[in-house]
Amino acid sequence: MTIDTETKIYGVLGHPVGHSLSPTMHNAAFKQLGINAVYLAFDVEDIAAAITSLRVLAVKGASVTIPHKQEVMKHLDVIDPIADKIGAVNTIVARNGKLWGHNTDCNGAIEALLAQTPLDGRRAVVLGAGGAARAIAVGLQSHGCRVTIVNRTIERGWRLAEDLNAKFIPLADFNSSDCDILINTTSVGMSPNTGTMPIPARLFAKSMVVMDVIYNPLETKFLQTAAAKGCRTIDGVAMFVNQGALQFELWTEIDAPRDLMRKIVLQKLSAQ
Ligand code: ATR
């Protein structure tokens, strides 16, 4: 790829960003489609200064990751209604001299689910009450799901559920009786603690569609157990690739090469 005076700059703003899969994924997509653009990793602690830099350097777009997804919002010019409802931005788009904030985590998860199951009228259980839980729960509700938040810490789970007008069950009391779709957004089972899962094996039922947002490892104990019970499963790379593909489409207005992006991410993960 030739970098010249026309090359457009994109990047991820986060801290840390050393293990981000986004540069490899987005640069492969730019290359495949012959787009003169580059995607870099910016390890930034001062998000206000980083946003000023985007403006000054005419950066075309950025991903935003931990710990800046909420804080970044007040430095942008326009917030998309879904991002506003979620209270977090993971994508910045420079459009007509303004910086827009979007959230593609939500629709990234929804796309991954819709590839496996209808959502309207289904009962969905979201395990966890952090940022990922909130983004996914908002998306599920907007697609007609009845959402239950299940969390270890009652106060935090209850607050999220109340905010979204969803049901809440403490993790210790969860018995999976009213559940068609089960989604893990907790960090339980993430490398290096790969032998753990947030609920016991007996709570999986064959009829459930089960998704994990963790992609390291790709096959978490949660997903392995679900698959062994006969559930349809969706791995964390599906959501990760979809949120990236939706970012790519917001930036370029060109269909993202999703298959290539998934292949590249899987290659990178297996090399780690
Ligand atoms: P993110 O914003 O990335 O979604 P987070 O804000 O760190 O993540 O939230 C992590 C979620 O994992 C929380 O719901 C947390 O539960 P608590 O609210 O009780 O802390 C959940 N979690 C983390 N470790 C857990 C564990 N060992 N058992 C059950 N839930 C756990």
Side-chain angles (χ1 to χ4, degrees):
M1 189 183 78
T2 308
I3 292 184
D4 57 22
T5 55
E6 299 301 314
T7 304
K8 294 184 171 59
I9 303 171
Y10 296 86
V12 55
L13 310 175
H15 181 70
V17 288
H19 287 99
S20 174
L21 300 168
S22 295
T24 311
M25 178 173 74
H26 284 297
N27 285 316
F30 286 142
K31 189 173 170 199
Q32 163 102 351
L33 297 183
I35 296 171
N36 186 359
V38 64
Y39 183 106
L40 304 169
F42 299 111
D43 192 334
V44 295
E45 293 189 55
D46 183 344
I47 191 66
I51 296 304
T52 301
S53 307
L54 297 190
R55 295 181 197 276
V56 172
L57 298 175
V59 170
K60 293 293 174 193
S63 311
V64 184
T65 189
I66 291 166
H68 303 309
K69 285 185 182 185
Q70 285 95 35
E71 180 69 16
V72 73
M73 295 177 77
K74 64 173 182 268
H75 303 293
L76 302 175
D77 304 312
V78 190
I79 303 292
D80 162 83
I82 293 176
D84 192 41
K85 173 110 205 257
I86 295 164
V89 156
N90 79 326
T91 309
I92 299 172
V93 185
R95 210 183 267 136
N96 305 327
K98 292 200 162 113
L99 292 183
W100 288 64
H102 293 262
N103 189 308
T104 66
D105 289 329
C106 172
N107 283 333
I110 293 301
E111 254 188 33
L113 282 159
L114 281 173
Q116 297 296 333
T117 174
L119 297 177
D120 195 21
R122 298 295 201 278
R123 297 161 303 178
V125 169
V126 177
L127 303 174
R134 191 179 175 97
I136 294 172
V138 166
L140 289 167
Q141 285 183 326
S142 72
H143 284 75
C145 274
R146 281 177 282 156
V147 174
T148 301
I149 304 292
V150 171
N151 199 48
R152 174 183 61 179
T153 304
I154 291 174
E155 168 70 19
R156 193 177 183 201
W158 183 83
R159 223 181 311 130
L160 174 61
E162 187 183 54
D163 206 23
L164 299 182
N165 208 7
K167 201 173 151 189
F168 172 68
I169 301 176
L171 183 60
D173 299 340
F174 176 57
N175 67 15
S176 80
S177 55
D178 294 320
C179 176
D180 305 310
I181 298 167
L182 178 64
I183 302 166
N184 176 43
T185 74
T186 77
S187 49
V188 183
M190 193 184 290
S191 180
N193 302 311
T194 55
T196 57
M197 58 179 180
I199 58 167
R202 66 182 159 78
L203 295 185
F204 293 90
K206 194 177 173 203
S207 57
M208 293 175 183
V209 173
V210 178
M211 177 162 113
D212 203 332
V213 305
I214 295 171
Y215 53 76
N216 189 15
L218 186 61
E219 288 226 341
T220 55
K221 187 172 183 201
F222 183 75
L223 288 186
Q224 280 173 8
T225 308
K229 291 267 180 159
C231 306
R232 230 168 322 147
T233 60
I234 305 167
D235 64 47
V237 168
M239 174 173 165
F240 178 75
V241 167
N242 288 340
Q243 64 79 34
L246 292 167
Q247 294 186 320
F248 186 93
E249 288 166 357
L250 282 168
W251 295 330
T252 65
E253 296 179 358
I254 298 172
D255 286 347
R258 284 172 166 70
D259 292 345
L260 169 85
M261 290 166 89
R262 181 172 171 92
K263 191 176 102 189
I264 292 285
V265 168
L266 292 176
Q267 269 172 11
K268 181 99 181 161
L269 281 172
S270 66
Q272 275 178 359

